[in-house]
Amino acid sequence: MIRKIVLYVLGAVLILTSVVLARRIISSRKKPKAVVDKVIKTAFTQKVRNGLVPIVIPANGNLVAKRRLELYAEVQGIFLPRKKLYRTGEKYTKGEVLIRLDDREYYASVQSAKTNLYNLITSVMPDLRLDYPDAYNTWRKYLEGFDINKTTPTLPGFSSEQEKYFITAKDILSSYYNVKNMEEKLFKYTIAAPFSGVLSEAVVTEGTLVRTGQKLGEFIDPSVYELEVSISNRFADLLKEGKEVTLNNLDDTKKYKGTVVRINKIVDVETQTVTAFIQLSGKSLREGMFLEALLQAKEETEAFEMDRSLMVSENEIYVIKEGNLDLLKVNPVYFSDKKVVLKGIPEGTDVLLKPVPGAHPGLAVKIYEGE
């Protein structure tokens, strides 16, 4: 009996010892908590230097040749071939023939009408010699200078009302104006370049039957271009004609200089904008190019310009105060797509140059001291 009691006691002691040892082993495996050092974020800053800030209004548009001509046919005929092909991109000098239509049939009709006029005047010469001797020599000299292969000369003036009635009654005036009308139409079979330029569009080709009213192409002067831009009505009074404008291409790799040449006096009802036209020249310019214009409207004094993305709200920005971020109320006077012009920032204040991740008032930061 005693032996059993001793065994039970030894077993209980053994179990208790095992439990104690197991607990110690488990507790020894727990790692001590790491001490986390407080991280102070670095802030890239700039010191405020208030001064004169130009208000620059960005506007964009596509270039259009200032001098352009849409070519249309006013007569009908076959497009005659020439040494210089009528093709897009072809250059022409002022006065050079762009298009010549076959006018042989109509030319014969004009020559016939001119001959009839000459014969009609000749037929009244005997009557003029008898009834109007003072006018006879005038009309004789007119016939002597009449060349059927040249443009019909202007009829001589009348020395009296009787002479005028006589000439009119013989249908000389109506025949003369009919000939002049036909001559004007004959000129339309040939289209010459009104200025030196480039054919920007060619709709027809040589040998084509051209019909009256048909579009033939477009002709432009590539030396001078205009850019049409729309600006807010509130800046319309500040923009003046003759003002120089800086422009850049879509990739911002090239800069151009232009001049404001016209400003529309009408405000668009829907957008409340005013249209301005900028003139510029350059060998690298092409019609249809997209350009951005930077229009200087006015200048703000005692102002500071910074990145718009650094604004916390419409009138607050972060500043560095005693090593911490703090909010400062400011007075924005102009917003652009990327920049904002502010007033009311004390001179020498440290403001952010780049956003700080997780920024909030009171956040401890250190100012970056590098270059």
Side-chain angles (χ1 to χ4, degrees), residues 137-175:
N137 289 330
T138 302
W139 286 95
R140 181 175 59 81
K141 289 179 180 180
Y142 178 80
L143 288 178
E144 290 173 356
F146 195 103
D147 188 345
I148 195 172
N149 295 316
K150 296 181 180 179
T151 303
T152 305
T154 305
L155 290 177
F158 302 114
S159 58
S160 64
E161 288 295 321
Q162 289 76 13
E163 178 192 351
K164 179 180 179 180
Y165 296 150
F166 175 76
I167 294 297
T168 304
K170 296 298 183 179
D171 288 334
I172 293 177
L173 283 179
S174 60
S175 298

Short mmCIF file of all heavy atoms in Angstrom, two decimals, residues 137-175:
data_model
loop_
_atom_site.label_atom_id
_atom_site.label_comp_id
_atom_site.label_asym_id
_atom_site.label_seq_id
_atom_site.Cartn_x
_atom_site.Cartn_y
_atom_site.Cartn_z
N ASN A 137 -12.99 110.94 -137.56
CA ASN A 137 -11.56 110.67 -137.38
C ASN A 137 -11.30 109.85 -136.11
O ASN A 137 -10.41 109.00 -136.07
CB ASN A 137 -10.78 111.98 -137.32
CG ASN A 137 -10.71 112.65 -138.69
OD1 ASN A 137 -10.72 111.97 -139.72
ND2 ASN A 137 -10.64 113.97 -138.71
N THR A 138 -12.10 110.13 -135.07
CA THR A 138 -11.93 109.37 -133.81
C THR A 138 -12.22 107.89 -134.03
O THR A 138 -11.45 107.02 -133.59
CB THR A 138 -12.88 109.92 -132.73
OG1 THR A 138 -12.59 111.31 -132.53
CG2 THR A 138 -12.69 109.17 -131.42
N TRP A 139 -13.31 107.57 -134.70
CA TRP A 139 -13.67 106.18 -134.95
C TRP A 139 -12.73 105.52 -135.97
O TRP A 139 -12.48 104.32 -135.91
CB TRP A 139 -15.12 106.09 -135.42
CG TRP A 139 -16.08 106.31 -134.29
CD1 TRP A 139 -16.67 107.48 -133.93
CD2 TRP A 139 -16.53 105.33 -133.37
NE1 TRP A 139 -17.47 107.32 -132.83
CE2 TRP A 139 -17.41 105.97 -132.46
CE3 TRP A 139 -16.29 103.98 -133.20
CZ2 TRP A 139 -18.03 105.30 -131.42
CZ3 TRP A 139 -16.93 103.30 -132.17
CH2 TRP A 139 -17.78 103.96 -131.29
N ARG A 140 -12.20 106.33 -136.90
CA ARG A 140 -11.25 105.78 -137.88
C ARG A 140 -9.97 105.33 -137.18
O ARG A 140 -9.43 104.27 -137.46
CB ARG A 140 -10.94 106.83 -138.95
CG ARG A 140 -9.97 106.35 -140.03
CD ARG A 140 -9.81 107.41 -141.11
NE ARG A 140 -9.31 108.65 -140.55
CZ ARG A 140 -8.02 108.91 -140.27
NH1 ARG A 140 -7.11 107.98 -140.48
NH2 ARG A 140 -7.67 110.07 -139.79
N LYS A 141 -9.50 106.16 -136.23
CA LYS A 141 -8.30 105.80 -135.48
C LYS A 141 -8.56 104.56 -134.61
O LYS A 141 -7.67 103.73 -134.41
CB LYS A 141 -7.86 106.96 -134.61
CG LYS A 141 -7.29 108.13 -135.39
CD LYS A 141 -6.88 109.26 -134.46
CE LYS A 141 -6.32 110.43 -135.25
NZ LYS A 141 -5.92 111.56 -134.35
N TYR A 142 -9.81 104.44 -134.14
CA TYR A 142 -10.15 103.26 -133.33
C TYR A 142 -10.04 101.99 -134.16
O TYR A 142 -9.49 100.99 -133.70
CB TYR A 142 -11.56 103.41 -132.77
CG TYR A 142 -12.02 102.21 -131.94
CD1 TYR A 142 -11.63 102.05 -130.62
CD2 TYR A 142 -12.84 101.23 -132.50
CE1 TYR A 142 -12.03 100.96 -129.87
CE2 TYR A 142 -13.26 100.13 -131.77
CZ TYR A 142 -12.85 100.00 -130.44
OH TYR A 142 -13.24 98.90 -129.70
N LEU A 143 -10.55 102.02 -135.37
CA LEU A 143 -10.48 100.85 -136.26
C LEU A 143 -9.03 100.53 -136.64
O LEU A 143 -8.66 99.36 -136.76
CB LEU A 143 -11.31 101.10 -137.52
CG LEU A 143 -12.83 101.08 -137.34
CD1 LEU A 143 -13.51 101.39 -138.65
CD2 LEU A 143 -13.30 99.73 -136.82
N GLU A 144 -8.23 101.58 -136.80
CA GLU A 144 -6.83 101.35 -137.15
C GLU A 144 -6.08 100.64 -136.01
O GLU A 144 -5.16 99.87 -136.26
CB GLU A 144 -6.15 102.69 -137.47
CG GLU A 144 -6.62 103.31 -138.77
CD GLU A 144 -6.05 104.70 -138.99
OE1 GLU A 144 -5.35 105.20 -138.07
OE2 GLU A 144 -6.27 105.28 -140.07
N GLY A 145 -6.49 100.90 -134.77
CA GLY A 145 -5.84 100.27 -133.63
C GLY A 145 -6.50 98.97 -133.20
O GLY A 145 -6.08 98.35 -132.21
N PHE A 146 -7.53 98.56 -133.92
CA PHE A 146 -8.27 97.34 -133.58
C PHE A 146 -7.52 96.13 -134.10
O PHE A 146 -7.33 95.96 -135.30
CB PHE A 146 -9.67 97.40 -134.19
CG PHE A 146 -10.63 96.38 -133.62
CD1 PHE A 146 -11.59 96.75 -132.71
CD2 PHE A 146 -10.57 95.05 -134.03
CE1 PHE A 146 -12.49 95.83 -132.20
CE2 PHE A 146 -11.45 94.12 -133.51
CZ PHE A 146 -12.41 94.51 -132.59
N ASP A 147 -7.02 95.26 -133.17
CA ASP A 147 -6.31 94.04 -133.55
C ASP A 147 -7.11 92.86 -133.02
O ASP A 147 -7.30 92.71 -131.81
CB ASP A 147 -4.91 94.03 -132.96
CG ASP A 147 -4.06 92.87 -133.49
OD1 ASP A 147 -4.64 91.92 -134.07
OD2 ASP A 147 -2.83 92.90 -133.29
N ILE A 148 -7.57 92.01 -133.93
CA ILE A 148 -8.44 90.91 -133.54
C ILE A 148 -7.73 89.90 -132.65
O ILE A 148 -8.37 89.13 -131.91
CB ILE A 148 -9.02 90.23 -134.81
CG1 ILE A 148 -10.20 89.33 -134.42
CG2 ILE A 148 -7.95 89.44 -135.52
CD1 ILE A 148 -10.96 88.78 -135.61
N ASN A 149 -6.40 89.87 -132.70
CA ASN A 149 -5.63 88.93 -131.89
C ASN A 149 -5.25 89.49 -130.53
O ASN A 149 -4.56 88.83 -129.75
CB ASN A 149 -4.36 88.53 -132.65
CG ASN A 149 -4.67 87.76 -133.92
OD1 ASN A 149 -5.53 86.86 -133.92
ND2 ASN A 149 -4.01 88.11 -135.01
N LYS A 150 -5.69 90.72 -130.25
CA LYS A 150 -5.42 91.34 -128.96
C LYS A 150 -6.75 91.68 -128.27
O LYS A 150 -7.81 91.57 -128.88
CB LYS A 150 -4.59 92.61 -129.14
CG LYS A 150 -3.20 92.35 -129.70
CD LYS A 150 -2.42 93.66 -129.81
CE LYS A 150 -1.02 93.42 -130.37
NZ LYS A 150 -0.26 94.69 -130.51
N THR A 151 -6.65 92.09 -127.01
CA THR A 151 -7.84 92.46 -126.27
C THR A 151 -8.52 93.64 -126.94
O THR A 151 -7.86 94.60 -127.38
CB THR A 151 -7.48 92.83 -124.82
OG1 THR A 151 -6.80 91.74 -124.21
CG2 THR A 151 -8.72 93.15 -124.01
N THR A 152 -9.83 93.59 -127.02
CA THR A 152 -10.61 94.65 -127.67
C THR A 152 -10.40 95.97 -126.94
O THR A 152 -10.61 96.06 -125.73
CB THR A 152 -12.10 94.30 -127.66
OG1 THR A 152 -12.28 93.02 -128.29
CG2 THR A 152 -12.91 95.36 -128.39
N PRO A 153 -9.97 97.02 -127.68
CA PRO A 153 -9.74 98.31 -127.02
C PRO A 153 -11.05 98.98 -126.61
O PRO A 153 -12.12 98.68 -127.16
CB PRO A 153 -9.04 99.14 -128.10
CG PRO A 153 -9.43 98.50 -129.39
CD PRO A 153 -9.63 97.05 -129.10
N THR A 154 -10.97 99.86 -125.64
CA THR A 154 -12.15 100.57 -125.15
C THR A 154 -12.69 101.50 -126.23
O THR A 154 -11.93 102.16 -126.94
CB THR A 154 -11.79 101.40 -123.91
OG1 THR A 154 -11.21 100.54 -122.93
CG2 THR A 154 -13.01 102.08 -123.33
N LEU A 155 -14.02 101.54 -126.34
CA LEU A 155 -14.65 102.40 -127.34
C LEU A 155 -14.33 103.87 -127.06
O LEU A 155 -14.20 104.27 -125.90
CB LEU A 155 -16.17 102.21 -127.33
CG LEU A 155 -16.71 100.87 -127.86
CD1 LEU A 155 -18.23 100.84 -127.70
CD2 LEU A 155 -16.31 100.65 -129.31
N PRO A 156 -14.19 104.66 -128.13
CA PRO A 156 -13.93 106.10 -127.93
C PRO A 156 -15.14 106.80 -127.32
O PRO A 156 -16.28 106.32 -127.40
CB PRO A 156 -13.64 106.61 -129.33
CG PRO A 156 -14.32 105.63 -130.24
CD PRO A 156 -14.25 104.31 -129.56
N GLY A 157 -14.89 107.94 -126.66
CA GLY A 157 -15.98 108.69 -126.07
C GLY A 157 -16.84 109.38 -127.12
O GLY A 157 -16.44 109.53 -128.29
N PHE A 158 -18.04 109.82 -126.73
CA PHE A 158 -18.96 110.48 -127.65
C PHE A 158 -18.81 111.99 -127.54
O PHE A 158 -18.73 112.55 -126.44
CB PHE A 158 -20.41 110.08 -127.34
CG PHE A 158 -20.63 108.59 -127.42
CD1 PHE A 158 -20.94 107.85 -126.27
CD2 PHE A 158 -20.52 107.92 -128.62
CE1 PHE A 158 -21.14 106.49 -126.34
CE2 PHE A 158 -20.71 106.55 -128.68
CZ PHE A 158 -21.03 105.84 -127.55
N SER A 159 -18.82 112.63 -128.71
CA SER A 159 -18.67 114.10 -128.74
C SER A 159 -20.00 114.82 -128.60
O SER A 159 -20.03 116.02 -128.33
CB SER A 159 -17.98 114.54 -130.04
OG SER A 159 -18.74 114.10 -131.17
N SER A 160 -21.11 114.08 -128.81
CA SER A 160 -22.44 114.70 -128.69
C SER A 160 -23.46 113.62 -128.37
O SER A 160 -23.20 112.41 -128.54
CB SER A 160 -22.82 115.40 -130.00
OG SER A 160 -22.94 114.46 -131.06
N GLU A 161 -24.64 114.08 -127.94
CA GLU A 161 -25.72 113.14 -127.63
C GLU A 161 -26.22 112.46 -128.89
O GLU A 161 -26.56 111.28 -128.88
CB GLU A 161 -26.86 113.88 -126.94
CG GLU A 161 -26.57 114.31 -125.51
CD GLU A 161 -26.39 113.13 -124.58
OE1 GLU A 161 -27.13 112.12 -124.74
OE2 GLU A 161 -25.49 113.17 -123.72
N GLN A 162 -26.23 113.21 -130.00
CA GLN A 162 -26.70 112.64 -131.26
C GLN A 162 -25.82 111.49 -131.71
O GLN A 162 -26.30 110.45 -132.19
CB GLN A 162 -26.73 113.73 -132.36
CG GLN A 162 -27.81 114.79 -132.21
CD GLN A 162 -27.45 115.81 -131.12
OE1 GLN A 162 -26.31 115.87 -130.66
NE2 GLN A 162 -28.45 116.60 -130.71
N GLU A 163 -24.50 111.69 -131.57
CA GLU A 163 -23.57 110.61 -131.93
C GLU A 163 -23.80 109.39 -131.04
O GLU A 163 -23.78 108.25 -131.53
CB GLU A 163 -22.13 111.10 -131.77
CG GLU A 163 -21.09 110.04 -132.07
CD GLU A 163 -19.70 110.44 -131.62
OE1 GLU A 163 -19.50 111.60 -131.23
OE2 GLU A 163 -18.80 109.57 -131.65
N LYS A 164 -24.06 109.61 -129.76
CA LYS A 164 -24.29 108.52 -128.82
C LYS A 164 -25.54 107.73 -129.21
O LYS A 164 -25.53 106.50 -129.23
CB LYS A 164 -24.44 109.07 -127.41
CG LYS A 164 -24.71 108.02 -126.34
CD LYS A 164 -24.84 108.66 -124.97
CE LYS A 164 -25.14 107.61 -123.91
NZ LYS A 164 -25.28 108.22 -122.56
N TYR A 165 -26.62 108.47 -129.56
CA TYR A 165 -27.85 107.80 -129.96
C TYR A 165 -27.64 107.00 -131.24
O TYR A 165 -28.17 105.89 -131.40
CB TYR A 165 -28.96 108.84 -130.19
CG TYR A 165 -29.34 109.58 -128.92
CD1 TYR A 165 -29.80 110.91 -128.99
CD2 TYR A 165 -29.25 108.98 -127.67
CE1 TYR A 165 -30.14 111.60 -127.83
CE2 TYR A 165 -29.59 109.67 -126.52
CZ TYR A 165 -30.03 110.98 -126.60
OH TYR A 165 -30.37 111.67 -125.46
N PHE A 166 -26.87 107.55 -132.15
CA PHE A 166 -26.63 106.89 -133.43
C PHE A 166 -25.86 105.58 -133.22
O PHE A 166 -26.24 104.53 -133.78
CB PHE A 166 -25.84 107.83 -134.36
CG PHE A 166 -25.45 107.20 -135.66
CD1 PHE A 166 -26.38 107.01 -136.68
CD2 PHE A 166 -24.13 106.78 -135.87
CE1 PHE A 166 -26.00 106.41 -137.88
CE2 PHE A 166 -23.76 106.19 -137.05
CZ PHE A 166 -24.69 106.00 -138.06
N ILE A 167 -24.79 105.63 -132.46
CA ILE A 167 -23.96 104.45 -132.22
C ILE A 167 -24.75 103.38 -131.47
O ILE A 167 -24.67 102.18 -131.76
CB ILE A 167 -22.70 104.83 -131.43
CG1 ILE A 167 -21.79 105.73 -132.26
CG2 ILE A 167 -21.93 103.59 -130.99
CD1 ILE A 167 -21.26 105.10 -133.53
N THR A 168 -25.57 103.83 -130.50
CA THR A 168 -26.38 102.89 -129.73
C THR A 168 -27.41 102.21 -130.61
O THR A 168 -27.65 100.99 -130.48
CB THR A 168 -27.07 103.61 -128.56
OG1 THR A 168 -26.09 104.27 -127.77
CG2 THR A 168 -27.85 102.63 -127.71
N ALA A 169 -28.03 102.97 -131.49
CA ALA A 169 -29.06 102.42 -132.37
C ALA A 169 -28.50 101.37 -133.32
O ALA A 169 -29.23 100.48 -133.77
CB ALA A 169 -29.72 103.55 -133.17
N LYS A 170 -27.23 101.45 -133.63
CA LYS A 170 -26.60 100.49 -134.54
C LYS A 170 -26.10 99.24 -133.80
O LYS A 170 -25.41 98.40 -134.40
CB LYS A 170 -25.42 101.15 -135.25
CG LYS A 170 -25.82 102.30 -136.17
CD LYS A 170 -26.73 101.84 -137.31
CE LYS A 170 -27.06 102.99 -138.26
NZ LYS A 170 -27.92 102.53 -139.37
N ASP A 171 -26.45 99.10 -132.50
CA ASP A 171 -26.07 97.92 -131.67
C ASP A 171 -24.56 97.77 -131.48
O ASP A 171 -24.07 96.68 -131.16
CB ASP A 171 -26.63 96.63 -132.28
CG ASP A 171 -28.14 96.51 -132.11
OD1 ASP A 171 -28.67 97.11 -131.14
OD2 ASP A 171 -28.77 95.82 -132.93
N ILE A 172 -23.85 98.88 -131.67
CA ILE A 172 -22.40 98.80 -131.48
C ILE A 172 -22.05 98.63 -129.99
O ILE A 172 -21.17 97.84 -129.64
CB ILE A 172 -21.71 100.05 -132.07
CG1 ILE A 172 -21.88 100.05 -133.59
CG2 ILE A 172 -20.24 100.10 -131.68
CD1 ILE A 172 -21.31 101.26 -134.28
N LEU A 173 -22.76 99.37 -129.12
CA LEU A 173 -22.48 99.27 -127.69
C LEU A 173 -22.76 97.87 -127.15
O LEU A 173 -21.96 97.29 -126.41
CB LEU A 173 -23.30 100.30 -126.92
CG LEU A 173 -22.82 101.75 -126.97
CD1 LEU A 173 -23.74 102.65 -126.18
CD2 LEU A 173 -21.40 101.87 -126.46
N SER A 174 -23.92 97.32 -127.52
CA SER A 174 -24.26 95.98 -127.03
C SER A 174 -23.30 94.93 -127.56
O SER A 174 -22.90 94.01 -126.83
CB SER A 174 -25.70 95.63 -127.43
OG SER A 174 -25.84 95.64 -128.84
N SER A 175 -22.87 95.06 -128.80
CA SER A 175 -21.90 94.11 -129.38
C SER A 175 -20.54 94.23 -128.68
O SER A 175 -19.88 93.22 -128.41
CB SER A 175 -21.73 94.37 -130.87
OG SER A 175 -22.94 94.18 -131.56
#
